[in-house]
Structures are given as structure tokens and as C-alpha cells.
Amino acid sequence: MNATRPLPNVGMPDDPDYEEKLAQFEARIARGEKIEPGDWMPYEYRRQLIRMISQHAHSEVVGMLPEGAWITRAPTLRRKLILIAKVQDEAGHGQYLYHAAESLGVDREELIDLLLAGKAKYSSVFNYPTLTWADIGMIGWLVDGAAIKNQTMLAHCSYGPYSRAMVRICAEETFHYKQGKEMITLYAQGTPEQQRMAQDALNRWWWPALMMFGPHDTDSPNTPVLMRWGIKTKSNDTLRQEFIDEIVPEFLEIGLAIPDPELRWDEESGHWISGPIDWDEFWRVVRGNGPMNRARMAARRQAHEEGRWVREAMVAYANRRMAVGS
Amino acid sequence: MNDTQWPRYEVFKQDKPHKPHEAVGTVHAPDPEMALQNARDVYVRRPDCHSLWVAPEDAVFKMTAYELEQDPNWHVETIPEDAPEQTYLVFTRQHHRRSMVAASHVGEVQARTPREALRRAMEQAAWTSKPVYLWWIVPQAAITASQEEDAPSMFAPAQDKTYRDQSYYKGILFGKHLQKKHAKSSPTGKKAS
């Protein structure tokens, strides 16, 4: 997070009452209380939340692009209505999250400016291209499925505004996941070409989806403090494993193959054990060198510029009304 | 700060006529009318909205139980003698459950300042039978409400969009039993390529 404006300088470890306040704060979290904007919180809690919530907001906004590209090419009116509704939801989810971040002392505008300047992170899964219509179904089932896994956990977050945004998002995202599952299930039982498209989509999205849970716990320096303060309640690897265990049997049931030659069922632990994740690729994409990073940012900037006249018209209208005194 | 920032408005949504208005989140807008439109787009993509209110966020006086406890003198203020009474709306939250709502409308008090309104709200036995974790006090004069005649154009379109609901896709669900069924099958079987 590179906020252009300093955060409230409270909750610093060298404050004289820090230890006492921290003990109260941690006791409140242990009791299951929600922390609200006016409450005392450690500076580091505020900083970590802004970092996470803003990345999450940016992911919703950039996440509109891979799917939005297919609205004009939807095969039926029904599928088109569903896809438009889904992309509208992502726009709304971005707003819920920017507003949750604002409750911590940053402005939406500065966060959006950081995104447009290419200085903000967002989920690297959106830097992969959507090559066929089957990708729309696979994103719903696999990518949104992974996102929901993470968001269901975050709905238990100790920070009230983030938790509330997550509960609302989870309730809405469920249809994103279901429509994708429906589409891929039908394709897997469809013509040989449809089956091939569904398998091809799974082959390309499987690994990026597993990477969405973030680095292994051993390489995730923020995890201990996030779990200590109830921002996260499960680690990256725990969530990833739960997701693999749930989704592998479902893909197998409809006759798709998982593109991981090392994936195996481990009787003893009762888990599906996946092969190694290519973290070099993950970091390459995070650092801006994925297949679509530049195209995504160019599309965002274009949309922002092309919407400028609307924003200006809204302000002109508001000013005029104020002058007329209506 | 005049490109996308604009003032923030709190949004209060009423799902059905007999239900309270609930604080669902905020929007940015250059004026209250636009705030109402943005609130509709951001918070009413699905059925069940009867009425929307917006109020400038800086007009909403918010206190948490923790803040009240930390500052025993929170109510101390000098009220000018000729300050007129006005109507304040009171919102509370009385639980820590998972919820998408910050606070719900419980009623009104007459007072001269938001702090006085909060003091009077705290005297209402019906509102404090359970501990209140969050108090919001909103001057009625600060609220812009959706009008009855606008409801069909603002809220009715969402009612037909049943495909936004997960129940529209029922019949394709898989149970937990699959976990075991596929335990011995080859995950990279016939179609891997």
C-alpha cells in the first residue's frame, strides 16, 4: 500500500498505552466482537487491512475485464443476461470494498489512482486471457469457487466493515459459481467439441486458480499477524487444500481430467495431494509480466478516460442545481 | 479530489414495508439525488427493496460501545440556549453475528444536538434491553428518500432477474459422497492432454 496521504498516527507500538490497548483489542477479538471504524486498533492492523481490502477491490474491478470481453459473443440471450448480471455484480463488489477501505482512512480516488498508475496489486488470475466461451463457465466455477472459499473465511473477519462487505459479496457470488458449474457440466456432457472446450479451459485455469490462495504458508510473512488479529481465520495452504478436496471429485464426476500428473488421493490423510505449483510463474505474473497485465491496465485507463465526460456532467448538474437552489 | 471522490453518503435500505431501514454501506455522489441513483445501482441489483434513504456521511453521528466506555465524558457539550429541537433517527446494532448490515433503524428522538439525541435514545428501555454495540444518530433533515412513485422504475426491474439467485441453478449440485467415489479413479485419466 502506497497511500499518498498519511494514515492516522495512532496505535503505534511506541505509544505509552500501546500494550494496555493492545491487550483490550485482542481480548475483544477473542470474545468475537467486531472492531468498528471509531475503535482503537493497532496501526499495523489498519495497514494490513487497507493492503488486503484495496487489493481485493482492485481484483473485483479488473476481474470485470476478462469476462466483459465475451458479453457481445454470448451464444444465447439467457447466457448474455447472466454474464451481464455477473459483471455488474463485480463492479458493485469493487465499490463495497473500496468503501470498506475508506472506513480506515484512505480515499477511493487515491486507491484507484494507484491502480491506474500500475502501482497496485490485484489477483494475478485476471492476467490470463479468456480464449473461448468455455472460459466464462470455468471462471465461474473454478476461479469464483476459489474466490468464494477465501471470501467465506473473510466474512468472519474481525473488522466489521470488511466482514459485512464479504457477507454481501458471498451471498451474491453464489450465483456466479452456480452458473459456471451449470455451463461446464452441460459442456462436459455435450458434443465432442464442447467437451474439448471444457477440458481445454480447465487445463489453462487450473494452476492459476490454485495460485489464487497465495504463496505457501512458509512464504507468507503476513499470515501470522493476520491470523492473530482475526483478519484471516485460515492459512493459504489450508484453504487451498480444502478447495482441492472439494472440487477435484466434482470435475472427475463430469468426466474432466485434472491437468496435474502428480495429483493423487492420499488414503491416510484423506486429502487430494497436488503436484508442485510453479511459483516462478506466479511471481512473474504478480510482478507485471503475465500474458495480459498490460492489456488489463490499458483497458482500465481507457474506461476511466472515456467515462470522464459522465463524471463531469454529474458535477455540472449538481452545481447547477445548487445554484438554482432546488 | 473532484474526479471520482465526491462526498460520501450512507445508504439505508428497506427490504419490505414492515421492515426497518438498514445501513448497507456508502456511495459517492456529487448530490443527494445522484447518491440515491448510485445507491440503487450498487445495493439494489436484486429483489426486495421497498425504499432507499441516503444521508451525507458527515451528518451521521456514530458511537461504538467501546468508544462510549473509553470516554465517560462523551456527552459533555455546551448547547446554545436557543438551539431548536429537531428529529433524529436512531439506528443500533445489538449483536456480533455475521451480517451485511451495520445498524438498523429503531425509531426517532427529539433533541437539539446529536449527542443529546444519543443520550435520549439510551434512555429508551425498548432499544437497550440488549447491549447496543453500535449507535448511529441521523438528523431527519439530512435524509433524502426515494419516492413512492419512483419505486417501479428504481426497484421493480430487479424483481424479474431471477437468474441472479443461486436457486435458479438448482439440480446440478453434487454431494459430499463424490469425495469417496473418486478416491481410486485416475485424476489425469482419459481426456488429459
Side-chain angles (χ1 to χ4, degrees):
Chain A
M1 217 278 309
N2 305 301
T4 50
R5 180 164 72 91
L7 292 176
N9 199 21
V10 291
M12 305 299 271
D14 51 3
D15 290 350
D17 57 354
Y18 181 79
E19 289 304 324
E20 183 198 333
K21 296 261 193 198
L22 181 68
Q24 284 177 356
F25 170 83
E26 294 188 341
R28 293 186 63 200
I29 291 173
R31 285 196 299 269
E33 291 182 23
K34 294 288 181 222
I35 306 300
E36 295 294 336
D39 296 346
W40 185 93
M41 62 186 83
Y43 181 89
E44 181 62 8
Y45 180 81
R46 186 184 298 274
R47 195 187 72 82
Q48 288 283 358
L49 278 168
I50 294 171
R51 180 185 69 80
M52 277 180 69
I53 300 172
S54 61
Q55 285 181 19
H56 200 157
H58 298 324
S59 300
E60 297 283 355
V61 169
V62 178
M64 288 191 279
L65 297 170
E67 294 177 291
W70 281 88
I71 289 174
T72 56
R73 293 175 282 175
T76 65
L77 182 58
R78 175 179 181 269
R79 288 289 169 197
K80 189 172 190 155
L81 286 168
I82 291 171
L83 184 56
I84 291 172
K86 183 174 187 300
V87 173
Q88 282 176 344
D89 274 355
E90 315 294 3
H93 296 175
Q95 294 306 317
Y96 304 161
L97 289 161
Y98 285 126
H99 283 257
E102 285 197 325
S103 70
L104 292 156
V106 285
D107 286 335
R108 180 179 68 173
E109 184 158 288
E110 65 181 291
L111 296 176
I112 290 175
D113 286 348
L114 286 170
L115 174 69
L116 296 177
K119 291 178 184 166
K121 278 191 197 163
Y122 55 88
S123 180
S124 59
V125 77
F126 301 119
N127 288 320
Y128 291 86
T130 38
L131 299 180
T132 76
W133 174 254
D135 287 10
I136 299 306
M138 195 54 74
I139 287 176
W141 188 359
L142 182 64
V143 173
D144 289 331
I148 290 169
K149 197 84 202 141
N150 193 39
Q151 291 170 168
T152 305
M153 170 199 65
L154 290 169
H156 296 278
C157 170
S158 58
Y159 185 59
Y162 195 21
S163 157
R164 290 191 284 273
M166 281 297 107
V167 174
R168 190 171 291 279
I169 288 174
C170 285
E172 299 187 354
E173 286 265 345
T174 315
F175 112 74
H176 301 185
Y177 168 81
K178 292 274 173 74
Q179 63 84 33
K181 197 169 185 175
E182 180 196 60
M183 193 199 298
I184 295 299
T185 303
L186 290 171
Y187 275 26
Q189 298 161 358
T191 64
E193 177 61 12
Q194 286 174 328
Q195 292 180 18
R196 198 196 59 74
M197 278 171 69
Q199 182 63 55
D200 167 63
L202 179 57
N203 291 351
R204 285 181 290 106
W205 291 98
W206 175 254
W207 292 107
L210 294 194
M211 291 176 196
M212 286 173 70
F213 294 94
H216 284 310
D217 296 350
T218 45
D219 301 317
S220 178
N222 292 317
T223 295
V225 74
L226 295 177
M227 291 183 70
R228 176 177 166 195
W229 287 336
I231 297 175
K232 286 167 72 164
T233 53
K234 291 176 180 175
S235 75
N236 296 353
D237 283 332
T238 303
L239 277 178
R240 183 166 23 237
Q241 187 61 53
E242 284 182 10
F243 178 67
I244 292 171
D245 287 342
E246 285 167 24
I247 207 160
V248 164
E250 299 192 333
F251 280 130
L252 298 181
E253 174 70 11
I254 62 165
L256 295 184
I258 311 294
D260 175 358
E262 295 180 43
L263 184 71
R264 64 186 172 84
W265 170 255
D266 183 59
E267 190 72 48
E268 203 168 312
S269 64
H271 291 301
W272 287 94
I273 308 296
S274 80
I277 292 170
D278 182 354
W279 294 111
D280 289 342
E281 174 178 324
F282 174 77
W283 290 114
R284 197 162 54 241
V285 180
V286 168
R287 293 193 178 118
N289 297 312
M292 297 297 283
N293 296 55
R294 285 170 193 80
R296 297 291 183 238
M297 279 306 101
R300 266 323 311 156
R301 286 186 202 113
Q302 187 188 349
H304 192 76
E305 283 311 311
E306 289 179 352
R308 185 176 297 281
W309 71 271
V310 178
R311 300 192 292 276
E312 287 172 357
M314 283 163 63
V315 172
Y317 180 70
N319 288 344
R320 188 174 163 76
R321 272 176 60 105
M322 219 178 297
V324 179
S326 68
Chain B
M1 283 296 170
N2 54 15
D3 182 16
T4 62
Q5 193 57 31
W6 304 316
R8 270 160 71 93
Y9 289 82
E10 289 288 351
V11 178
F12 304 93
K13 175 170 171 271
Q14 183 186 33
D15 293 348
K16 291 194 164 68
H18 59 280
K19 297 257 180 98
H21 280 77
E22 297 174 315
V24 290
T26 47
V27 291
H28 289 278
D31 64 15
E33 187 190 5
M34 208 57 226
L36 214 46
Q37 289 298 328
N38 287 349
R40 182 264 188 196
D41 290 348
V42 176
Y43 293 100
V44 195
R45 291 187 302 278
R46 284 168 173 72
D48 284 346
C49 183
H50 180 71
S51 156
L52 276 182
W53 294 341
V54 292
E57 202 233 354
D58 56 15
V60 180
F61 178 62
K62 302 173 181 175
M63 282 294 237
T64 67
Y66 179 82
E67 285 178 288
L68 293 170
E69 185 191 303
Q70 295 292 305
D71 181 10
N73 295 321
W74 65 267
H75 51 79
V76 176
E77 62 181 336
T78 313
I79 303 176
E81 262 180 40
D82 56 349
E85 289 218 330
Q86 57 171 314
T87 304
Y88 287 91
L89 277 62
V90 180
F91 294 76
T92 63
R93 196 179 70 232
Q94 299 185 287
H95 64 82
H96 288 301
R97 290 191 305 274
R98 266 179 45 131
S99 163
M100 52 180 91
V101 169
S104 300
H105 181 212
V106 290
E108 283 80 39
V109 291
Q110 300 294 316
R112 292 167 297 170
T113 68
R115 283 170 201 270
E116 187 177 59
L118 177 52
R119 264 194 296 142
R120 292 188 175 166
M122 291 168 98
E123 291 161 6
Q124 302 280 327
W127 300 344
T128 52
S129 56
K130 283 190 292 177
V132 176
Y133 299 110
L134 203 55
W135 290 98
W136 285 17
I137 304 292
V138 189
Q140 189 167 46
I143 289 177
T144 303
S146 63
Q147 299 301 303
E148 193 90 33
E149 63 265 29
D150 296 329
S153 65
M154 284 183 82
F155 310 136
Q159 283 164 12
D160 299 327
K161 295 177 182 168
T162 51
Y163 49 85
R164 285 187 187 271
D165 191 289
Q166 58 156 319
S167 63
Y168 180 82
Y169 305 92
K170 64 189 165 210
I172 53 147
L173 300 182
F174 313 122
K176 288 263 178 205
H177 67 282
L178 292 179
Q179 219 94 356
K180 291 224 156 35
K181 178 178 166 189
H182 288 279
K184 293 195 177 69
S185 67
S186 162
T188 51
K190 51 184 171 143
K191 291 200 196 86
S193 56

